[in-house]
Amino acid sequence: MRFVYFARVREAVGVDSEERAVPADVRTVQDCIAWLESCDARYAAAFADPSRLRFALDQQMVAADAALADHEELAIFPPVTGG
Amino acid sequence: MKKVAITADPIRTSQALDLLEHLGGGALASFTGIARADLGVVALELEHYPGMTERNLDALADEAMARWSLLGCVVIHRVGKIAVGEQVVIVATAAGHRAEALDACAFLIDRLKTDAAFWKKEHLGDGSALWVEAKGTDDARADKWRE
């Protein structure tokens, strides 16, 4: 799966995107966050406050309980602040 | 007439208004967001999610066109580094009458604030920078249009 990060999350993770093989038991966005946090302290720091995280699967905004299913890209970012 | 654009180049409100002036309607409304001279701030930096952000703006423009029967609608958002005083976003609408043009314009900027994938960083004069936090008051304004 392709992971993309924006803004504060991108800076904390240290890359703007990466490819990672997701374990079979990681089924939802929330599972993915927990799995990444267990992989490296950078993710734990980037995802420390779940209330300040938003997600998109294949460029559609989704909630944390959304299933990864056949999606190819998961974006993780803070609440938006444009305009 | 619908135009949605994201650009790294400077933008002008007059660009948007020129596109809407001659559509036969009786009303034009616009909102321009400017990089504000908050204490110590010298520039803003806007990041977006290429592909998704364009679709976010396009969906909002479609919703406004349909809900207020607009003759035209323009949404232009700048990205990259933007000096204080320069334009960040322009939203403009054309309609038969003022109520539709004004309401649609307010809808577009209120919902853009909460629905479009942009992130804003403030650069300070001392060389430091900080990400702007999302505001609950923006959510409340955007939610009004969902009632």
Side-chain angles (χ1 to χ4, degrees):
Chain A
M1 183 161 220
R2 181 180 158 81
F3 292 86
V4 296
Y5 311 108
F6 292 97
R8 178 174 46 74
V9 174
R10 173 177 54 74
E11 290 182 349
V13 172
V15 295
D16 52 18
S17 70
E18 58 187 340
E19 290 284 341
R20 279 179 166 262
V22 179
D25 61 341
V26 172
R27 295 199 175 82
T28 66
V29 169
Q30 217 152 7
D31 293 347
C32 228
I33 295 297
W35 166 65
L36 286 169
E37 283 177 330
S38 73
C39 292
D40 192 299
R42 287 180 296 125
Y43 299 102
F47 307 152
D49 181 356
S51 72
R52 289 164 70 206
L53 291 180
R54 299 291 182 271
F55 314 100
L57 278 170
D58 291 345
Q59 305 203 346
Q60 294 284 342
M61 301 259 200
V62 295
D65 61 358
L68 301 181
D70 295 328
H71 295 292
E72 289 169 1
E73 182 172 283
L74 171 61
I76 306 171
F77 45 82
V80 301
T81 54
Chain B
M1 202 297 285
K2 178 181 79 173
K3 180 186 164 74
V4 168
I6 294 171
T7 175
D9 299 324
I11 55 178
R12 304 282 310 156
T13 312
S14 53
Q15 285 175 250
L17 295 178
D18 286 349
L19 293 168
L20 296 172
E21 252 174 25
H22 306 293
L23 300 178
L28 267 191
S30 75
F31 170 84
T32 302
I34 295 171
R36 191 173 44 240
D38 282 341
L39 190 64
V41 176
V42 292
L44 298 180
E45 190 170 352
L46 269 291
E47 183 171 329
H48 77 300
Y49 186 173
M52 186 167 96
T53 315
E54 285 83 350
R55 281 210 300 279
N56 297 151
L57 297 182
D58 206 52
L60 287 175
D62 284 343
E63 193 177 339
M65 293 285 291
R67 187 162 165 184
W68 285 279
S69 303
L70 299 180
L71 297 166
C73 160
V74 177
V75 180
I76 305 173
H77 204 298
R78 193 169 165 195
V79 291
K81 209 150 176 193
I82 304 171
V84 159
E86 292 185 347
Q87 303 191 353
V88 178
V89 61
I90 300 157
V91 168
T93 55
H97 301 275
R98 72 181 185 283
E100 290 78 9
L102 287 167
D103 286 355
C105 187
F107 160 88
L108 281 166
I109 188 60
D110 286 346
R111 287 281 299 276
L112 182 153
K113 286 262 181 189
T114 59
D115 292 18
F118 291 101
W119 298 275
K120 190 182 284 156
K121 192 180 213 179
E122 289 178 342
H123 287 273
L124 306 182
D126 64 4
S128 65
L130 63 160
W131 290 102
V132 173
E133 294 294 331
K135 294 198 289 276
T137 48
D138 286 339
D139 289 336
R141 286 194 70 89
D143 283 345
K144 276 194 321 182
W145 297 106
R146 294 191 178 88
E147 282 163 10

